[in-house]
Amino acid sequence: MNVLVIGSGGREHALCWKLSQNPTVDQILAVPGNGGTSEVARNIPLKDDDIEGLVALAKAEKVGLVVVGPEAPLVKGIADACAHAGIPCFGPDAFAAQLEGSKAFAKTIMREAGVATAAFEVFDDADAAKSYIKNHGAPLVVKADGLAAGKGVVVAKTVDEALEAIDDMMVKRSFGAAGAKVVVEDALTGEEASFLAFCDGENFALLPSAQDHKAAHEGDTGPNTGGMGAYSPAPVLPQEQYAATAELCIRPILRRLAELGHPFKGVLYAGLMFTENGPLVLEYNVRFGDPECQPLLMRLDADLLEILFACAEGRLTPDMVRVRPETALCVVIAAPGYPGAYPKGMEISGLAEADALPGVKVFQAGTAAKDDKTFTSGGRVLGVTALGLTLAEAKARAYEAVAKVHFEGCYFRRDIGDKGIARSK
Ligand code: AMP
Ligand code: GLY
């Protein structure tokens, strides 16, 4: 069978790598893919949100399953287009994808489904938002409604910062149409973790907890990025609490979306904050996280193709998702300057040496392969991932591998996993 994987990040390399382990897979097509996917898949230079082009390709190549990595094609309706063409697709329809594509939609569904989340109001008028902010007082969080590449959230410590965020989003339209509406919500404090579940519309199968590192610099300082590292499990959400946590944040959403006639098929990702009053949902994503996907798939001790098919066809059972007991940790190596402007085209050395270490896999993200060499082509370049019996061991192995890899100006955080290690002590 041929499988089409949409996307070009470390997440998609991990998906292609894991899918390629199934012996019934003839060919994986990665659109557009990267240097890493080209090792196990055929890269095809189409845009990841060219819905018509993707469906035409899937038909022409007799693709048996479309696997969607990023959110943009889901929000644009790739799953609806596949359904129309009769091609099984792993990922929710455009209506359900609004859980990620619209913060106002997500908050409203959470309210309707009874999911614990920060108190909020939605505004499509800047003056109304400002008077609410002045009455409420800081701290507050201002969120652009639409997709803004992770940059549309401002945690405002003062009223002035919150008012400035409203001007930026609603008046200056710094994020374009994404800022036509905003959500203003109470600021929460606590440790964050990610909790992901495979879903078939009605049933779900849980993945173990994970923790991302969104800030660019050590100690969670500096600008927000797509994620500078991740590990699983996250001690802040231990296994004993998975089932109860799923009742809080996974099952109610599946039930509500099914009631609305849009059963959710794909990965439902709950971004949780563990406050003094228990876990609250900060956000939903409708796909695997990147880089959370890399450690999660390193731990998956089951056939990924079988799971994704079961989701697409509505016959998922929890026992299909088995995970190794070890911890996995992923360190992202970025180009100098990321998440701001950064150079491209630097040659990467040491990939084979790092990959050869026991329990290590180097997932490539912003890379391109040319003449047996690998060059950087993006901001997040590599996700060096390792398994260990403990989090400390996984961390030590991952950084041993990181030390073997080099390109000019390469940057990485040295403290991935430290919060979890401190908590496990
Ligand atoms: P979101 O895209 O909604 O997950 O927001 C991105 C990041 O902003 C989260 O990972 C949190 O670190 C932070 N954040 C979002 N909402 C809140 C909130 N209500 N209180 C405090 N921090 C928040
Ligand atoms: N790593 C966070 C995300 O993928 O949204």
Side-chain angles (χ1 to χ4, degrees):
M1 190 214 326
N2 293 341
V3 181
L4 195 164
V5 175
I6 302 173
S8 61
R11 166 181 54 208
E12 287 75 23
H13 185 194
L15 287 166
C16 289
W17 165 79
K18 194 71 189 172
L19 287 168
S20 72
Q21 294 169 10
N22 178 306
T24 69
V25 170
D26 295 313
Q27 196 173 182
I28 302 175
L29 309 171
V31 183
N34 60 35
T37 61
S38 69
E39 290 167 6
V40 284
R42 176 154 66 97
N43 286 356
I44 298 191
L46 264 185
K47 278 198 157 171
D48 69 6
D49 65 348
D50 174 357
I51 306 297
E52 272 180 31
L54 288 162
V55 172
L57 175 72
K59 281 186 187 159
E61 298 283 347
K62 301 198 168 39
V63 163
L65 180 69
V66 173
V67 180
V68 191
E71 61 279 12
L74 292 167
V75 171
K76 277 183 85 172
I78 184 69
D80 308 75
C82 285
H84 189 70
I87 304 165
C89 175
F90 179 78
D93 69 14
F95 180 88
Q98 290 179 83
L99 264 186
E100 178 164 0
S102 162
K103 304 254 185 217
F105 177 93
K107 295 292 287 195
T108 305
I109 293 278
M110 285 190 243
R111 186 180 268 164
E112 291 169 358
V115 170
T117 185
F120 73 100
E121 292 290 336
V122 179
F123 298 97
D124 53 19
D125 175 76
D127 290 331
K130 286 180 181 177
S131 70
Y132 173 83
I133 288 168
K134 285 177 198 157
N135 280 330
H136 186 286
L140 272 174
V141 183
V142 180
K143 300 182 172 184
D145 178 55
L147 291 178
K151 294 183 185 113
V153 174
V154 174
V155 181
K157 293 194 192 72
T158 64
V159 167
D160 282 345
E161 277 177 65
L163 297 176
E164 200 182 309
I166 295 293
D167 273 330
D168 253 15
M169 291 175 192
M170 303 192 84
V171 184
K172 292 183 197 145
R173 291 291 175 99
S174 301
F175 305 110
K181 232 190 256 179
V182 297
V183 170
V184 181
E185 68 178 37
D186 289 359
L188 306 172
T189 48
E191 192 173 333
E192 287 179 50
S194 312
F195 194 43
L196 287 74
F198 290 106
C199 304
D200 76 353
E202 187 183 341
N203 308 297
F204 60 85
L206 300 173
L207 279 156
S209 61
Q211 190 171 60
D212 186 14
H213 296 64
K214 288 201 170 92
H217 305 311
E218 277 143 39
D220 292 333
T221 59
N224 252 348
T225 70
M228 293 300 293
Y231 61 91
S232 168
V236 67
L237 176 50
Q239 188 165 5
E240 312 83 82
Q241 287 169 26
Y242 291 175
T245 307
E247 296 304 320
L248 294 176
C249 66
I250 304 292
R251 195 187 302 279
I253 295 293
L254 293 190
R255 192 181 290 141
R256 182 66 191 138
L257 286 171
E259 277 168 14
L260 293 170
H262 294 274
F264 187 99
K265 297 184 177 193
V267 169
L268 182 60
Y269 166 138
L272 301 171
M273 189 174 270
F274 290 82
T275 71
E276 274 175 9
N277 305 319
L280 270 72
V281 176
L282 292 178
E283 63 162 344
Y284 284 104
N285 294 324
V286 297
R287 48 163 179 92
F288 270 111
D290 186 342
E292 293 96 322
C293 183
Q294 293 83 313
L296 287 172
L297 291 191
M298 277 288 269
R299 293 189 65 200
L300 186 67
D301 193 11
D303 189 306
L304 181 62
L305 184 73
E306 191 182 309
I307 295 169
L308 302 188
F309 245 117
C311 289
E313 294 182 340
R315 47 176 183 79
L316 181 70
T317 55
D319 58 294
M320 286 180 179
V321 179
R322 296 174 302 277
V323 288
R324 309 163 68 115
E326 290 102 315
T327 290
L329 181 138
C330 169
V331 179
V332 169
I333 308 185
Y338 174 80
Y342 50 80
K344 295 180 185 176
M346 286 92 75
E347 188 178 347
I348 307 170
S349 64
L351 288 170
E353 290 84 343
D355 243 341
L357 291 174
V360 170
K361 176 71 196 164
V362 180
F363 294 112
Q364 299 185 24
T367 70
K370 199 176 168 218
D371 306 332
D372 286 338
K373 291 181 176 167
T374 307
F375 298 89
T376 77
S377 67
R380 290 191 292 172
V381 177
L382 303 168
V384 179
T385 311
L387 286 168
L389 289 177
T390 61
L391 180 53
E393 188 180 286
K395 180 186 173 191
R397 281 199 179 156
Y399 280 100
E400 188 189 343
V402 166
K404 303 220 176 277
V405 179
H406 184 75
F407 55 88
E408 202 182 322
C410 59
Y411 172 77
F412 55 88
R413 277 178 63 163
R414 291 171 193 278
D415 65 343
I416 303 305
D418 284 0
K419 251 185 285 178
I421 292 172
R423 193 175 273 273
S424 336
K425 278 190 180 139

